[in-house]
Amino acid sequence: MNVTFLPGSIKSAFLVLIQFICIGIIAFTGKVIPENLFLLLALIFSLILAVWSMIVMKFHFNAAPDVLPGAKLTIKGPYKLIRHPMYTSLLLLILVWIINDFTFVRLTISIIFFIDLILKIFYEEKLLSKNFKEYSKYKKRTKRIIPYIY
C-alpha cells in the first residue's frame, strides 16, 4: 500500500489542508450517520465508490493532486466513466452530511469544500496532462465527477 499525504508543492499542501479542515469541521459539527434510508444508501454508495477506486488503483494514490513517481494512468473500474471517483465519493459524502443535519455553518464550510475540490481537480488535471500523454484522449471520453454530466 502506497498512500501518501505529503504534497510536492505549497499549492498542493494548501488545497489538501483546506479539504481536510472542511471535512473535519463538517464531521464534528453534526450527525454523520443518517437515519433516513435514502441518505444512508447514498452514504454507503459513497463509501463503496471510494473503496472501489482505491482497490482499482491498488492503494497507490495520493491525497495531494501531485502525481506520484512511477504512477500509471488508471482507466478501468470507476475511472472508465469518471476521472475523479474518489472526489465524487467525497462530494456525495459531504452532500449527505449537509442534508442529514443541516446548519448554516455546515453549509458554508461545504461551499468552501466544493470550491477547494474543484480547484484541486483543475490543478490535478493540469499535472496529469503533463505526466501522461494519453490523458487528453482519456479526458475526451470521460467526465470529471458525474458520469455523463460533468
Side-chain angles (χ1 to χ4, degrees), residues 73-76 78-85 134-143:
L73 183 62
T74 302
I75 58 172
K76 60 185 178 181
Y79 296 91
K80 199 171 193 174
L81 293 174
I82 49 178
R83 297 191 294 271
H84 305 284
E134 65 273 24
Y135 195 74
S136 62
K137 187 191 254 186
Y138 172 63
K139 280 173 53 173
K140 290 178 185 171
R141 66 176 191 267
T142 57
K143 297 296 182 183

Side-chain angles (χ1 to χ4, degrees), residues 85-144:
M86 285 192 263
Y87 294 160
T88 301
S89 174
L90 285 173
L91 289 168
L92 183 57
L93 174 73
I94 296 298
L95 185 62
V96 165
W97 284 351
I98 297 304
I99 294 169
N100 184 58
D101 193 4
F102 179 85
T103 66
F104 285 107
V105 169
R106 286 178 121 201
L107 178 63
T108 302
I109 299 301
S110 70
I111 291 169
I112 293 167
F113 174 80
F114 292 141
I115 292 168
D116 179 71
L117 209 60
I118 294 299
L119 293 172
K120 189 176 170 190
I121 286 169
F122 285 129
Y123 181 56
E124 184 172 338
E125 288 195 342
K126 182 179 171 184
L127 296 175
L128 289 167
S129 292
K130 280 184 186 177
N131 284 276
F132 301 107
K133 61 181 177 186
E134 65 273 24
Y135 195 74
S136 62
K137 187 191 254 186
Y138 172 63
K139 280 173 53 173
K140 290 178 185 171
R141 66 176 191 267
T142 57
K143 297 296 182 183
R144 277 191 178 102

Side-chain angles (χ1 to χ4, degrees), residues 6-121:
L6 300 173
S9 70
I10 298 295
K11 184 174 186 175
S12 293
F14 181 74
L15 290 168
V16 171
L17 180 65
I18 296 298
Q19 177 183 334
F20 283 125
I21 288 171
C22 289
I23 292 170
I25 291 171
I26 294 168
F28 290 109
T29 57
K31 296 177 187 174
V32 294
I33 305 295
E35 295 167 8
N36 174 293
L37 181 61
F38 177 75
L39 291 177
L40 182 60
L41 291 173
L43 177 78
I44 291 167
F45 175 77
S46 168
L47 297 174
I48 288 170
L49 180 60
V51 171
W52 183 25
S53 302
M54 290 185 269
I55 289 169
V56 168
M57 295 215 33
K58 298 177 181 155
F59 295 94
H60 187 78
F61 65 92
N62 190 3
D66 305 302
V67 178
L68 293 173
K72 293 182 178 18
L73 183 62
T74 302
I75 58 172
K76 60 185 178 181
Y79 296 91
K80 199 171 193 174
L81 293 174
I82 49 178
R83 297 191 294 271
H84 305 284
M86 285 192 263
Y87 294 160
T88 301
S89 174
L90 285 173
L91 289 168
L92 183 57
L93 174 73
I94 296 298
L95 185 62
V96 165
W97 284 351
I98 297 304
I99 294 169
N100 184 58
D101 193 4
F102 179 85
T103 66
F104 285 107
V105 169
R106 286 178 121 201
L107 178 63
T108 302
I109 299 301
S110 70
I111 291 169
I112 293 167
F113 174 80
F114 292 141
I115 292 168
D116 179 71
L117 209 60
I118 294 299
L119 293 172
K120 189 176 170 190
I121 286 169

